[in-house]
Amino acid sequence: MPSLPDAAMPDAAALAQRAAAEQAHDPHLADVALKPAFFDWLCRMGDNSLILGHRISEWCGHGPALEEDIAQANTALDLIGQTQMWLGLAAEVEDAGRSADDLAYLRDAMKFRNLKLLELPNGDLAVTLMRQFLFDAFHFELLTALCRSSSPRVAEIAAKALKEVSYHLERSSDLVVRLGDGTEESHARMQAALDKVWPYTGEMFAADGVDEAVAKAGIAPELSELLPLWQRTVAQVLSEATLSQPDRDFAAQKGGKQGRHTEHLGYILAEMQFLQRAYPGASW
Amino acid sequence: MYAQMVKSEGMKSLEEMSPEERAFQERVDRNEKIEPKEWMPEGYRKTLIRQIGQHAHSEIVGQLPEANWITRAPTLERKAILLAKVQDEAGHGLYLYSAAETLGISRDQLTEKLLSGDMKYSSIFNYPTLTWADMGAVGWLVDGAAIMNQVPLQRTSYGPYSRAMIRICKEESFHQRQGYAVMMKMAQGTPEQKEMAQDALNRFWFPALMMFGPSDKDSVHSAQSMAWKIKMNTNDELRQKFVDETVPQAEFLGLTVPDETLRWNEEKGGYDFAEPDWAEFFEVIKGNGPCNEERLGARREAWDNGAWFREGLTAYADKAAARRAASNMAAE
């Protein structure tokens, strides 16, 4: 071959298999009764990072300052990486021959399990950052608890993701404070963003049968345990940002976790899945 | 080559130079690096600002054609790779604006010059990316052409520019490899994928050749820049080198370079090839390319829509500084 060195890594699959064989035994992977809930819950984790990662990747090249453009892309990259791990494990648990890519690119909206909050359009940067902060504050507490999961595989992914999400939370809360307490305009935009996305935040803590099953198995925490921790962070940051907590039901908008989404998700999928749908079976 | 048609000041012989100018030229001739606070001719400073600024703008505008496919990348891995790649380009913009700032112009001033059309960016980014294969072709051909110019610029006379180039070249050569990896997948894929790959090569071949700028016989600014070592090779030398390296790579992919006149010339040890359409090049430079309006429009929109964000952060920083000062006063 000419001057470019070989870009392919033929032994990557072998390396991955060897690494997988060395991983700690996870009894939950063979638990047939738990499988549907475990799979569904892993899709929730993976779809959350996929859809939020996708949304913020839309900012790439369009940020208000170079540093911000780079930071957004970094966050999106972290989230896409987490998606590969969560959906990879979901595919393994399902054991039906699907891959993480199959789950991301070949499911329709009703099979997606992400929070509705995360599929909302980016709006101005205020909406993007406020959504990011409210989710990061939840994501951080969830991953912290998942590091103690009874599933070693889940705990390992959580430990890696937590390093990234700690930084996401540090960055988004810092920006919420600075912009909330910045100019009159930045304050007004941040308050409007908060009012807009607030009704979508309660879904993070609304437990259903799936959440209860994984909590009972010791895989994930009770969501109700996370609520006061989230509330404390949110109250502290909003107060420092001179923003007021909206007087609206924070759980008015739900259903994403069960596959009942906003109209926006269909357009995300139409764009994201285009090549896989248009050229079935092709390798990219 | 992200800097095309950079104007430099008129050239003087050593005898015509002032003692300062002569001492400067002798340092350049000895391959000493010139550092920001040292004396330099005004023409050198101005030419460098134009060149580094244009290069920085090209990195930033150059994010757009590839960002166009991030949300449609076909797998999670491809999405992550493309995001990381476009993010690298933003990082290159950052180093280059920082290098330009050492010459006494701010990033905001340079940005305003880009948005007003006062400063240019590389013609290549005014072409559209129409299929996924373009993500391969851009990495392979566009980053490939850029590297031809940027590798020698690692030895350029201006210290901050040279150091930025060293770092940029590491990433760019990785980008070229990832672009080629995309092309390999496409060229070895289904008939539709192969068709996309060939179509991408057809569309990007001549625009990539244009990246080196017009032939040296028409390039009035080369001599002074070469004497100052802010241009290391002529446009034609680099274009020839690019063609000679790229043609075998296209053959390896099983793709056809869209030039019927392409022939190996044993005597010169390189390919004979067709010139790009220079009339098209000048039209694109003037602002009449397929995507000039969209590209500059997207940058203006990002800048204008981000004004409140930048002002908010500045206002907070001022308030925080005032609060710190007040609490220091109270403590004393």
Side-chain angles (χ1 to χ4, degrees), chain A residues 1-5 54 61 64 66-67 70 74 77 101 105 125 178 181-182 189 271-272 276 283-284, chain B residues 60 71-76 78-80 87 107 177 180 185 193 248-249 299 306 308-310 316 319:
Chain A
M1 137 144 216
S3 66
L4 275 173
H54 181 94
L66 267 179
E67 289 82 351
I70 292 169
N74 238 0
L77 263 173
D101 280 333
Y105 290 92
L125 197 57
R178 286 170 187 271
D181 189 18
R189 282 178 183 263
E271 193 172 335
M272 186 172 84
Q276 289 284 355
S283 165
W284 304 92
Chain B
I60 300 311
T71 55
R72 289 177 289 172
T75 67
L76 294 170
R78 288 287 174 211
K79 196 181 184 74
Q87 186 197 30
R107 199 203 305 177
R177 284 169 178 74
Y180 197 75
K185 267 280 190 203
Q193 285 176 303
Q249 292 167 1
R299 290 313 309 160
W308 72 269
F309 173 87
R310 296 187 300 272
Y316 179 89
K319 282 190 219 178

Side-chain angles (χ1 to χ4, degrees), chain A residues 5-242:
Chain A
D6 196 353
M9 279 193 28
D11 58 345
L15 283 173
Q17 267 167 5
R18 204 182 318 149
E22 284 167 12
Q23 268 173 329
H25 176 67
D26 192 329
H28 298 297
L29 264 62
D31 185 340
V32 179
L34 184 67
K35 187 160 136 175
F38 194 16
F39 172 73
D40 217 63
W41 179 81
L42 286 166
C43 286
R44 290 179 183 184
M45 296 301 293
D47 292 346
N48 280 345
S49 51
L50 174 58
I51 297 301
L52 182 60
H54 181 94
R55 268 296 186 225
I56 52 180
S57 77
E58 292 172 6
W59 276 105
C60 190
H62 304 274
L66 267 179
E67 289 82 351
E68 188 56 24
D69 210 300
I70 292 169
Q72 296 268 35
N74 238 0
T75 310
L77 263 173
D78 289 345
L79 291 168
I80 300 303
Q82 292 171 21
T83 305
Q84 288 175 297
M85 295 189 284
W86 289 125
L87 292 185
L89 184 55
E92 227 179 289
V93 166
E94 188 192 38
D95 196 22
R98 291 202 280 184
S99 65
D101 280 333
D102 292 337
L103 291 174
Y105 290 92
L106 299 173
R107 280 177 302 156
D108 204 344
M110 65 183 180
K111 300 286 187 193
F112 265 75
R113 293 290 179 261
N114 60 285
L115 300 161
K116 279 161 78 173
L117 172 71
L118 306 179
E119 68 204 38
L120 294 178
N122 286 334
D124 61 359
L125 197 57
V127 172
T128 300
L129 287 171
M130 189 55 82
R131 175 183 64 197
Q132 185 77 42
F133 163 64
L134 294 169
F135 177 70
D136 288 345
F138 162 76
H139 204 192
F140 175 84
E141 301 298 348
L142 176 60
L143 291 170
T144 304
L146 289 177
C147 290
R148 303 184 296 268
S149 172
S150 64
S151 158
R153 297 289 299 281
V154 167
E156 282 167 2
I157 298 175
K160 182 177 189 303
L162 182 60
K163 288 184 200 155
E164 297 165 345
V165 170
S166 305
Y167 168 72
H168 299 175
L169 177 60
E170 189 181 320
R171 168 177 167 268
S172 63
S173 38
D174 181 61
L175 284 171
V176 166
V177 168
R178 286 170 187 271
L179 294 166
D181 189 18
T183 60
E184 217 172 290
E185 183 183 1
S186 71
H187 176 87
R189 282 178 183 263
M190 293 307 280
Q191 185 66 52
L194 176 60
D195 294 346
K196 185 183 170 74
V197 302
W198 187 253
Y200 292 86
T201 53
E203 186 182 5
M204 298 189 284
F205 308 98
D208 64 1
V210 169
D211 294 309
E212 282 157 18
V214 290
K216 197 165 156 236
I219 293 173
E222 300 277 356
L223 291 175
S224 57
E225 290 169 16
L226 305 181
L227 181 59
L229 303 172
W230 179 80
Q231 282 170 328
R232 196 177 56 195
T233 308
V234 169
Q236 200 181 334
V237 170
L238 293 185
S239 148
E240 208 186 325
T242 72

Side-chain angles (χ1 to χ4, degrees), chain B residues 2 6 11-12 20 24 39 43 53 108 112 115 132 150-151 155 164 167 186 212 233 248 262 275 285-286:
Chain B
Y2 290 166
V6 173
M11 197 165 163
K12 291 181 188 170
E20 269 174 325
F24 176 86
W39 186 88
D108 285 0
E112 275 153 19
L115 300 183
W132 175 252
Q150 292 172 2
V151 165
R155 294 179 282 110
R167 190 154 173 192
M186 301 294 281
F212 299 93
N233 303 85
L262 189 77
E275 290 273 311
I285 288 280
K286 265 200 297 188

